[in-house]
Amino acid sequence: MTDQVAIPDSRRSPFPPIADYGFLSDCHTTALVAPSGAVEWMCLPRLDSASVFGALLDRDAGSFRFGPTDIAVPASRRYIPGTIVLETTWMARTGWMVVRDALVIGPWHHDRVHESSHRRPPDDYDAEHVLLRLAHCVQGTVELNMQCEPVFAYGRLSPDWEWIEDDYHRAVARAKGVDDLELQLATDLRVGFEGRRCEARTTLQEGQTAYVAMSWAGDHELPLNHEDAGACIDRTKKYWRQWLDRGEFPDHPWRVYLQRSALTLKGLTYAPTGAIAAAATTSLPETPGGERNWDYRYAWIRDSTFALWGLYTLGFDYEANDFFNFMADACGRGDRPLQIMYGVGGEAKLEEKVLDHLDGYEGARPVRVGNAAYKQEQHDVWGAALDSVYIHTKSRDYLPEQLWPMLSRQVEEALKKWREPDRGIWEVRGKPQHFTSSKLMCWVAADRGARLARLRGEDMKTADRWQAAADEIHTDICEHALDKRGVFVQHYDTDALDASNLLMPLVRFLPPDDQRIVNTVRAIADELSEHGLVLRYRTEETDDGLKGEEGTFLICSFWLVSALVEIGDFNRGRDLCERLLGYGSQLRLYAEELDYRSGRHLGNFPQAFTHLALVNAVMHVIRSESAGEDPTRFVPVRLTA
């Protein structure tokens, strides 16, 4: 890869760089593992619950380390191919050790359902609600250290530890005031307690193995020995590989990036409902030390439906069934319009609070939980939902009848609201505006709604009415959103640019060779970029209600790749794509933003929005390559025309 940017020296801060964390998931909750071998972010019992390990946001808010004593930097880290099982290799002065970490997934059993609110039928495999860590000494001798120090309720409540039945290999942690959660620990090490910490230490000889397993569900059995632990790791690997085998990946050097992004998107899915979280974290700063810190552990309808674009492109469509049902449930099967976002369990209220007792990642405050944006008017939500359903329906020539009331309601909402200002795709907290991208997605809602009505073979009057509305919106955008140069701008009362208009060729608002599209893509590439990487907008030109600058947005840069390929600027698009892939972490994970000066990842992590845009960008490049750069043979990724 070209233009690989060096990661900043983490010794300047007690916090690892955001991109250096490893990501674990069992599709119920997630965990982030620092290079030190410490789990520094984990929320229980699900990914948007309160944290029990929160060192990511405050070094005193809990962590769980398992690795060699007094070694800070591993020799290598990787995912076991085709899985979300993390493998870290350590070189000590006296030997070598490998640690494997996983959130365990195994065969589903009806008597092992910790969360009784499964809305979807469980798959053949389900979360076992166990964090498993397995160490193996491959050469010489290595001293192994385990320190489990949970702090419940976002770092507020320290637990009390006690042994289970006087067994020095099993322990339980409980905190007063947290009645519905306890942590059980099982290990082949002898554990002791020091304050809120459970710890153990031993020396492994060559060929020896040790494990520690932590569960938060009393009805799940913990491994009894390292052989059981190894079997749990094997079951988890099997699950992820079987899931990945359902996809269709091109034979290309960039295949590994597509596979990792697909696994990450699946890992951000909440299995009981089919919701897709925007990210695994809250309050990782978009500006170092700044206030642009948000909670992304929720299901944005827009982000989730865009994620389905990426998964569908790779041959995964089962996830779409689950998410469409999640949407239908959330809006009462059409009784009410969609909100822009929900809790992963379908919760409608996500009240935003500030946790003043947490210092924040590298001092970035405030630390927020909940997200007040759930109350906002964002008019793109209806188009995102309709377009995603249309893509899947067109490929199957079938629309489930139970979805139609929900879809019909969303089209009508778009037609009722499209003339009004809103907060836009970027959820600005300044004055509402007539954002071009919002009008665009209202057009998508009406256009795709009309197409779906025709595919049903009935409701032709409704289809004609919706199509007429789509034509009206289309005309309005072309009349009011173009500047004197023939470039689509951010909103109707400005000449400022906005990267969201890169969606125009992708949703087929105009043909990609239309001069207005070409002008817009090139203007964004040349004028809304820093060192070739794309900003959402320039903060000095946009009233977003916040102070400070922000980094370049990775999703926007990947959108630019797709848009460049669409307008026929293949070489520039491919070069940018190669450069962006070079910015990925060692584990091929991406946050939301990139500091173009240092290459440092910023914002919540890993970010679904970035990974889904990566999939579309890479597939645009690969399909264009396979067509021999002949536009007459090129089949676009988005088959919505």
Side-chain angles (χ1 to χ4, degrees), residues 105 139-140 175 204 206 239 352 367 381 448 454 498 525 542 545:
I105 300 178
Q139 183 180 355
L204 292 183
E206 185 171 325
Y239 165 78
E352 187 173 300
V367 173
V381 60
R448 304 318 190 250
R454 294 188 190 103
D498 193 303
T542 300

Side-chain angles (χ1 to χ4, degrees), residues 78-93:
R78 67 162 192 155
Y79 285 110
I80 295 176
T83 76
I84 306 184
V85 177
L86 182 63
E87 182 180 88
T88 305
T89 300
W90 302 88
M91 181 182 68
R93 183 175 57 84

Side-chain angles (χ1 to χ4, degrees), residues 504-580:
M504 286 182 151
L506 305 186
V507 299
R508 298 295 181 260
F509 179 75
L510 289 168
D513 59 354
D514 186 287
Q515 195 59 49
R516 291 165 291 183
I517 294 294
V518 174
N519 292 346
T520 301
V521 172
R522 289 180 177 168
I524 291 171
D526 296 336
E527 302 169 28
L528 196 59
S529 299
E530 295 290 347
H531 299 276
L533 303 176
V534 184
L535 300 164
R536 293 190 298 178
Y537 47 77
R538 294 200 178 273
T539 54
E540 66 272 17
E541 297 177 339
T542 300
D543 175 21
D544 63 8
L546 298 167
K547 299 176 182 177
E549 61 179 11
E550 59 187 21
T552 55
F553 264 62
L554 285 161
I555 185 173
C556 300
S557 297
F558 279 118
W559 279 346
L560 179 57
V561 171
S562 298
L564 287 168
V565 174
E566 288 276 353
I567 68 171
D569 201 345
F570 170 77
N571 289 334
R572 188 175 183 181
R574 190 190 191 287
D575 290 347
L576 177 58
C577 191
E578 184 174 29
R579 184 181 179 198
L580 290 167

Side-chain angles (χ1 to χ4, degrees), residues 177-191:
V178 185
D179 297 330
D180 58 345
L181 182 66
E182 67 176 30
L183 304 182
Q184 295 188 27
L185 208 68
T187 177
D188 47 11
L189 308 177
R190 291 170 60 88
V191 302

Side-chain angles (χ1 to χ4, degrees), residues 239-535:
Y239 165 78
W240 288 115
R241 286 171 172 164
Q242 286 184 343
W243 181 83
L244 200 63
D245 284 345
R246 288 169 32 203
E248 299 172 2
F249 297 92
D251 184 12
H252 191 277
W254 292 351
R255 174 189 180 102
V256 291
Y257 293 92
L258 295 171
Q259 291 178 328
R260 181 51 50 197
S261 289
L263 287 165
T264 303
L265 291 171
K266 178 63 174 176
L268 290 169
T269 301
Y270 182 60
T273 63
I276 303 174
T281 59
T282 179
S283 299
L284 290 182
E286 298 175 11
T287 304
E291 68 173 353
R292 295 172 183 263
N293 317 318
W294 314 108
D295 193 346
Y296 275 17
R297 298 170 299 156
Y298 306 116
W300 272 257
I301 297 298
R302 174 207 313 114
D303 296 35
S304 299
T305 53
F306 283 5
L308 296 178
W309 291 3
L311 290 172
Y312 175 79
T313 299
L314 298 174
F316 298 99
D317 56 8
Y318 185 80
E319 282 67 27
N321 296 336
D322 280 354
F323 187 73
F324 295 155
N325 281 304
F326 172 79
M327 285 197 302
D329 290 344
C331 69
R333 299 282 165 175
D335 292 339
R336 52 189 177 271
L338 283 170
Q339 292 181 184
I340 68 162
M341 60 191 290
Y342 296 89
V344 295
E347 297 82 2
K349 292 185 178 181
L350 305 172
E351 295 295 339
E352 187 173 300
K353 301 176 183 178
V354 172
L355 304 182
D356 289 322
H357 65 286
L358 296 179
D359 289 339
Y361 178 85
E362 293 189 337
R365 303 179 74 182
V367 173
R368 295 180 172 97
V369 295
N371 198 308
Y374 83 91
K375 302 175 183 178
Q376 286 189 356
E377 287 276 351
Q378 295 177 24
H379 296 167
D380 64 326
V381 60
W382 309 300
L386 267 292
D387 194 41
S388 187
V389 173
Y390 174 69
I391 293 170
H392 288 263
T393 299
K394 184 180 179 184
S395 67
R396 304 173 184 180
D397 197 26
Y398 169 70
L399 174 64
E401 190 62 31
Q402 65 269 24
L403 291 182
W404 185 244
M406 181 269 290
L407 297 172
S408 181
R409 176 64 184 270
Q410 307 322 311
V411 178
E412 295 295 344
E413 285 296 316
L415 300 191
K416 183 171 69 174
K417 296 290 186 67
W418 76 266
R419 294 180 180 86
E420 300 175 10
D422 74 331
R423 303 286 180 173
I425 187 173
W426 306 126
E427 301 180 352
V428 300
R429 299 197 175 192
K431 178 183 176 182
Q433 301 286 355
H434 291 278
F435 286 103
T436 303
S437 62
S438 296
K439 310 289 187 188
L440 169 72
M441 296 310 289
C442 287
W443 169 81
V444 169
D447 179 80
R448 304 318 190 250
R451 295 173 188 233
L452 285 168
R454 294 188 190 103
L455 284 174
R456 293 180 76 233
E458 48 189 86
D459 293 322
M460 298 311 295
K461 289 184 179 180
T462 298
D464 292 342
R465 179 169 61 87
W466 288 349
Q467 189 60 60
D471 294 341
E472 182 183 2
I473 299 170
H474 195 284
T475 299
D476 192 76
I477 294 171
C478 292
E479 287 183 357
H480 296 101
L482 281 169
D483 68 8
K484 295 178 181 178
R485 302 180 299 168
V487 171
F488 286 104
V489 294
Q490 183 182 66
H491 59 78
Y492 284 8
D493 298 316
T494 185
D495 289 329
L497 298 175
D498 193 303
S500 61
N501 289 338
L502 292 169
L503 290 170
M504 286 182 151
L506 305 186
V507 299
R508 298 295 181 260
F509 179 75
L510 289 168
D513 59 354
D514 186 287
Q515 195 59 49
R516 291 165 291 183
I517 294 294
V518 174
N519 292 346
T520 301
V521 172
R522 289 180 177 168
I524 291 171
D526 296 336
E527 302 169 28
L528 196 59
S529 299
E530 295 290 347
H531 299 276
L533 303 176
V534 184
L535 300 164

